[in-house]
Amino acid sequence: MNDHAAPPIGLDEVARHSQAVLKSVQSVIVGKDESLKLVLAGILAGGHILLEDLPGLGKTLTARCFAQSLGLDFRRLQFTPDLLPADVTGSFLYNQKSGEFVYRKGPVHTNLLLADEINRTPPKTQSALLEAMQERQVSVEGETYRLPRPFTVLATSNPVEFEGTYQLPEAQLDRFLLRVSFGYPTQDEEWEVLQRRLGRRTEDVELDPVIDAETLVAMQAALEHVTVEDSVGRYMVAIVAASRTHSQLQVGASPRGSLALLLASRALAVLSGRDFVTPDDVKGVAGAALAHRITLRPELWMRRIDPATVVADICHGVEAPQTAQAPTYGRIPNQR
């Protein structure tokens, strides 16, 4: 796909397409509606998402389902201890016929890259993703290559098995707009998973594309027209500022945390059928946007305090703007 500007698209159409994509993915992923909504919000916001959860809870399947429903080119890269940076970005190979070195693109040249078990590869290879995630380009042997649009990284990480792993440094974690977890399903949800598998009569899952890559780029651009009232924007800033003085935190969120709240809450507003952001949208994305950007005090690690719980406590302690101060815009047409 080229980098020309995508045609304009209305927020009502963005909402309609988004709900159709969610419905398609939910036909496979059972009982994780809120987590799936956060993942889609991150994609719409143009960010990258870290799926951190125990093995077997559908992280890889989620990435594949979103790629199929969004009509995106999809690559999966299994991170291992012997993976080299060139295995991510690509490298130059000598062509004996032409007598020249030719660049062979790596798996990062795609629309949606699944970086599976990203914490199992050394920091040097992890950092090979940094330029791609931030600049949407890779540099190899002094040459710079632009990545296709859209470009999203969905990375998975196992939070409990640390032997033979390399924890992501803060600079790498900060590149992820959101960190999302699924958790165990209920017994009824797990039985529904089995029922759907029996009904398919096959292990493979194939979803028809709901939109295509060009439409997704247009949807991402349309989010710039979502209204953010000054009082709501200052509410985001106040939450992030409060994280820097919270008694349980050693390091609070940086201004990039405020930006993450802004981008993700706009996407969540459209998914909720609105063309403006409310304090509830901010609270809805706060845990996923900030929990991986804060550092607990060392003495609290042994108590297994969840950073997301601290973020929720911060949101509860910061006074939200009154409803009367928010703009009285209507909901997006044809949305419930």
Side-chain angles (χ1 to χ4, degrees), residues 209-230:
V210 175
I211 60 174
D212 56 22
E214 184 176 1
T215 303
L216 178 57
V217 172
M219 292 167 65
Q220 292 173 337
L223 289 188
E224 296 297 332
H225 299 284
V226 176
T227 301
V228 181
E229 159 70 21
D230 288 351

Side-chain angles (χ1 to χ4, degrees), residues 7-310:
I9 185 173
L11 289 175
D12 56 339
E13 196 170 352
V14 174
R16 187 169 64 253
H17 286 324
S18 299
Q19 291 300 328
V21 169
L22 269 180
K23 184 177 180 180
S24 175
V25 176
Q26 289 167 351
S27 69
V28 177
I29 308 298
V30 178
K32 304 302 175 186
D33 294 356
E34 293 304 314
S35 296
L36 295 178
K37 186 180 291 187
L38 285 173
V39 173
L40 182 56
I43 295 174
L44 289 176
H48 310 289
I49 301 99
L50 178 63
L51 303 177
E52 187 175 86
D53 221 325
L54 299 171
L57 295 183
K59 301 185 296 295
T60 301
L61 181 60
T62 296
R64 188 177 299 277
C65 287
F66 270 113
Q68 292 175 353
S69 296
L70 294 168
L72 302 179
D73 182 48
F74 174 74
R75 304 284 179 86
R76 174 182 176 180
L77 183 59
Q78 185 69 43
F79 279 71
T80 57
D82 60 348
L83 197 71
L84 300 176
D87 297 326
V88 178
T89 62
S91 59
F92 280 91
L93 298 178
Y94 183 71
N95 189 322
Q96 293 184 343
K97 291 184 178 180
S98 63
E100 297 177 342
F101 283 93
V102 179
Y103 177 60
R104 184 187 64 179
K105 293 181 178 180
V108 76
H109 290 269
T110 187
N111 294 132
L112 196 153
L113 175 67
L114 173 61
D116 214 358
E117 295 188 290
I118 193 173
N119 58 333
R120 291 201 176 277
T121 200
K124 186 176 182 180
T125 304
Q126 291 174 356
S127 65
L129 274 179
L130 283 177
E131 182 184 12
M133 294 172 66
Q134 187 67 25
E135 307 296 338
R136 263 65 174 184
Q137 66 182 29
V138 294
S139 298
V140 181
E141 299 292 338
E143 297 289 337
T144 300
Y145 300 91
R146 298 289 299 175
L147 297 176
R149 295 180 62 197
F151 173 70
T152 298
V153 173
L154 289 184
T156 69
S157 176
N158 186 341
V160 295
E161 195 175 30
F162 298 117
E163 184 176 353
T165 64
Y166 305 83
Q167 293 306 299
L168 294 174
E170 291 185 8
Q172 180 91 353
L173 276 176
D174 214 25
R175 295 299 191 275
F176 291 100
L177 181 71
L178 302 175
R179 182 175 67 179
V180 180
S181 298
F182 290 159
Y184 284 117
T186 65
Q187 291 189 28
D188 288 340
E189 291 168 350
E190 195 162 353
W191 169 231
E192 186 174 349
V193 172
L194 301 185
Q195 285 182 308
R196 292 187 183 185
R197 173 60 181 84
L198 291 171
R200 286 198 308 269
R201 297 181 180 274
T202 178
E203 189 66 27
D204 297 332
V205 176
E206 292 291 336
L207 296 177
D208 294 328
V210 175
I211 60 174
D212 56 22
E214 184 176 1
T215 303
L216 178 57
V217 172
M219 292 167 65
Q220 292 173 337
L223 289 188
E224 296 297 332
H225 299 284
V226 176
T227 301
V228 181
E229 159 70 21
D230 288 351
S231 62
V232 178
R234 288 187 175 275
Y235 176 58
M236 301 176 191
V237 173
I239 289 175
V240 173
S243 73
R244 301 166 191 162
T245 58
H246 196 277
S247 61
Q248 292 181 308
L249 298 182
Q250 184 176 29
V251 179
S254 71
R256 189 173 283 167
S258 300
L259 184 60
L261 285 179
L262 172 66
L263 298 176
S265 62
R266 290 193 308 187
L268 190 62
V270 174
L271 287 172
S272 301
R274 283 179 277 98
D275 61 357
F276 64 97
V277 175
T278 68
D280 285 340
D281 294 324
V282 180
K283 294 177 184 178
V285 301
L290 299 180
H292 62 294
R293 290 185 163 92
I294 60 177
T295 303
L296 293 173
R297 291 189 177 278
E299 62 269 21
L300 299 178
W301 295 345
M302 297 299 294
R303 292 166 55 183
R304 296 186 178 181
I305 292 179
D306 185 359
T309 302
V310 178

